[in-house]
Amino acid sequence: MGLLFLLSFCLNGFAQGPPITGDKPIMLGANSWVIKTLTEIRKTEEGIFAKAPLMVHYLPTSNTLIGVYIPFINYNFDDGIRNQSLGDIELLAKYQFYRKDEMGKTFRLVAKTLQTLPTGKPIGLEGISMDAYQSYVGIVAGYETIKYGISNEIGYNLQPSNDLDELRYKLGFGLPLLKPTYPVNQINLYFEYQSSWFTSLNKYLLMYAQGIQYAKGRLTVEAAIQLPLIQTISEEKQRNFSLFLGTRYVF
């Protein structure tokens, strides 16, 4: 019975946290709260930019989640324009519609929507501050065992006011380095890809992120570096790298 409890505990999201730059369909129990942040420091051909969001998740039931992201940004363009401001606020909703659990492994599917409000500055930084309404819908699929995890996400992001509509696909692999224990004490490595096709512009961006995550009880800390592999977007928008630093606490 102790082993069954441990496996159940691990597969409900504590032993191996969500991917750092992606998402996964495994949810916590009903009435759970998650407070997190994931700061991105992005270097592009235009300058250096940072986004530090306060992210709050609440699970009304074990298969539904709602959330709000309030980002604060810092932008430093090479031409001398620099400032700090509020970024684009995001509203999240997820519904887990399929779940199959077996001994030491689970497969789940989640429908997801992310609505971005035009609260930021119109500085043309995709994913940071656009001052444009955006509507994203997607499906997240995940397979997780006590030895590894695989996450997939495919979705479409619509921006009615411009030509940056995006077909997005994310693929992530998680590798726990320590044996499952209770209380949780785990180190995870993450290998994550993001493919973005901007359909109206016929431009493409493929990125790879290498990350590490430490989970201790209800607290998780993580870091990752993301590098572009392919980018046919305009030269001034091309990325050099992004550094991600995050924390998460579940209660």
Side-chain angles (χ1 to χ4, degrees), residues 36-40 50-56 68-74 84-91 115-121 127-130:
K36 59 184 294 187
T37 187
L38 185 62
T39 297
E40 178 187 1
K51 174 184 178 182
L54 173 63
M55 310 161 81
V56 180
V68 58
Y69 301 165
I70 303 175
F72 299 92
I73 67 168
N74 181 290
Q84 299 176 347
S85 70
L86 178 70
D88 296 324
I89 294 175
E90 298 172 308
L91 304 177
Q115 304 299 309
T116 302
L117 308 180
T119 55
K121 297 287 186 179
I128 294 182
S129 185
M130 295 290 293

Side-chain angles (χ1 to χ4, degrees), residues 57-196:
H57 292 174
Y58 173 64
L59 288 86
T61 68
S62 61
N63 63 349
T64 57
L65 180 150
I66 55 176
V68 58
Y69 301 165
I70 303 175
F72 299 92
I73 67 168
N74 181 290
Y75 52 95
N76 188 347
F77 287 91
D78 289 339
D79 62 7
I81 299 175
R82 60 191 64 183
N83 207 338
Q84 299 176 347
S85 70
L86 178 70
D88 296 324
I89 294 175
E90 298 172 308
L91 304 177
L92 172 69
K94 294 166 65 175
Y95 174 67
Q96 183 185 99
F97 61 90
Y98 181 81
R99 171 175 177 170
K100 183 178 181 181
D101 296 333
E102 298 181 19
M103 179 62 71
K105 57 187 177 181
T106 185
F107 176 75
R108 306 186 193 186
L109 291 169
V110 160
K112 171 181 177 180
T113 182
L114 186 69
Q115 304 299 309
T116 302
L117 308 180
T119 55
K121 297 287 186 179
I123 54 179
L125 292 173
E126 186 271 328
I128 294 182
S129 185
M130 295 290 293
D131 188 32
Y133 172 72
Q134 303 174 51
S135 179
Y136 174 84
V137 291
I139 297 291
V140 184
Y143 178 75
E144 189 164 315
T145 76
I146 59 175
K147 294 183 178 181
Y148 63 90
I150 304 173
S151 64
N152 293 264
E153 179 177 345
I154 187 167
Y156 195 82
N157 190 49
L158 178 66
Q159 297 193 44
S161 63
N162 56 47
D163 55 3
L164 291 175
D165 290 0
E166 174 191 356
L167 179 63
R168 184 183 305 159
Y169 175 67
K170 294 185 177 183
L171 173 65
F173 302 93
L175 179 64
L177 299 183
L178 305 178
K179 292 182 179 180
T181 61
Y182 177 73
V184 171
N185 184 43
Q186 185 59 267
I187 298 174
N188 302 303
L189 293 180
Y190 279 102
F191 313 85
E192 301 173 349
Y193 296 86
Q194 178 176 327
S195 171
S196 296

Side-chain angles (χ1 to χ4, degrees), residues 22-62:
D23 202 353
K24 78 174 185 179
I26 295 178
M27 297 186 182
L28 306 177
N31 298 315
S32 297
W33 289 85
V34 181
I35 304 296
K36 59 184 294 187
T37 187
L38 185 62
T39 297
E40 178 187 1
I41 302 170
R42 184 188 301 178
K43 176 69 171 66
T44 76
E45 294 299 317
E46 291 184 297
I48 300 177
F49 313 97
K51 174 184 178 182
L54 173 63
M55 310 161 81
V56 180
H57 292 174
Y58 173 64
L59 288 86
T61 68
S62 61

